[in-house]
Amino acid sequence: MVFAHSHLLGIADLSRAEIVLLLDEAERYANGEGEPDALAGCVQVNAFFENSTRTLLSFELAGKRLGAHVLTMAVAQSSVAKGESLADTARTIEALGATAIVMRHPQSGAAAVVAAAVRCAVVNAGDGTGEHPTQALIDALALRRRFGRIEGLTIAICGDIRHSRVAKSNMLLLTGLGARVRVTGPAMLLPAEVPDGVSVLPNMDEAIADADAVMMLRVQHERMTDRIELSVADYHARYGLTCERFHGAAPEAAVMHPGPINRGVEIDGALADDPARSMILAQVALGVPVRMACLAAVHKHR
Ligand code: CP
């Protein structure tokens, strides 16, 4: 099986076999195996037009562990502020020798715009409400490590589904690997359409009933035109993952969150910190091997 893409823009572009290949490669890197110098002589430029902690740092670590020269562009100090277009910025980065551009941008489709403008590899690190493919791969690997499989699991994704690129990528990936996915949240934060195999359940208790994993998402105020009409206390009571509510999930259920978490809003701090239940920091840690696998795959195809 060969990864047949020179860019990683979204889960929607990948076959089931390609997803499994990336997960298997990431597992090898997580176990200290895998090709160590896969990116020797390569130049990776991280261009993040939106804030990030986990994704940016783990892409930096991933590139460095594979032997690449890694540069992180200081977007606020860049010539983007002088009106340079995204495509011209990308061509400039490529002209300086980049073999890969890892990009985060507030506009959906921005990574595809850059991929069309350059010959080097482009990896989408989150584009608006579009996709966040490497986060979904992390989440899938975390689930596979905990449960030994993804097929047949029931996963509840809760909160701001409409604006979440993490939810979009996860719905595609998890259903593609045979999981049952339920989504829930306030009506104004539910999506108009969902992929086949995803159920929309407005009642959170119904959505998490007997679920194997409950994935919480923060409310993405930065992408909303209308303010959510609930107070923080009301939101937490109706849509937050409280310790009490979590008892409705399966007996061995896991708690997930891509981060950043808002304690006391979408999740009780005690659940986020529960080492027996919470996979949140395990998800963060898997960011490095998953991104190593993705960077190696797109470079290998070139
Ligand atoms: N999960 C995630 O994308 O986190 P960051 O915004 O910190 O990168």
Side-chain angles (χ1 to χ4, degrees), residues 48 51-56 104 125 132 135 166 258-260 291:
F48 276 52
N51 293 354
S52 172
T53 300
R54 284 148 282 269
T55 312
L56 177 58
R104 171 169 288 194
H132 194 348
Q135 182 65 51
V166 174
R291 285 160 179 143

Side-chain angles (χ1 to χ4, degrees), residues 44-61 70-78 80 86 89 93 100-107 110-111 114 122-127 132 134-135 165 223 291 295:
Q44 171 188 328
V45 175
N46 300 324
F48 276 52
F49 296 81
E50 259 189 359
N51 293 354
S52 172
T53 300
R54 284 148 282 269
T55 312
L56 177 58
L57 290 176
S58 56
F59 265 115
E60 274 201 41
L61 279 166
V70 181
L71 298 170
T72 291
M73 181 174 157
V75 169
Q77 280 91 54
S78 74
V80 171
L86 191 56
T89 300
I93 293 170
I101 300 174
V102 178
M103 211 185 83
R104 171 169 288 194
H105 199 280
Q107 213 179 309
V114 167
V122 176
V123 179
N124 181 7
D127 62 326
H132 194 348
T134 57
Q135 182 65 51
R165 55 200 179 204
R223 306 196 199 287
R291 285 160 179 143
L295 288 166

Side-chain angles (χ1 to χ4, degrees), residues 6-40:
S6 46
H7 308 295
L8 176 56
L9 302 181
I11 298 298
D13 301 328
L14 304 184
S15 67
R16 182 185 174 119
E18 285 169 330
I19 291 168
V20 173
L21 177 77
L22 289 174
L23 294 178
D24 290 346
E25 283 300 303
E27 182 66 51
R28 278 157 53 77
Y29 280 120
N31 294 329
E33 301 159 6
E35 200 183 338
D37 293 322
L39 300 193

Side-chain angles (χ1 to χ4, degrees), residues 243 263 267-275 277-278:
C243 297
R263 292 166 186 265
I267 189 166
D268 274 358
L271 265 181
D273 296 336
D274 181 348
R277 296 293 181 191
S278 174

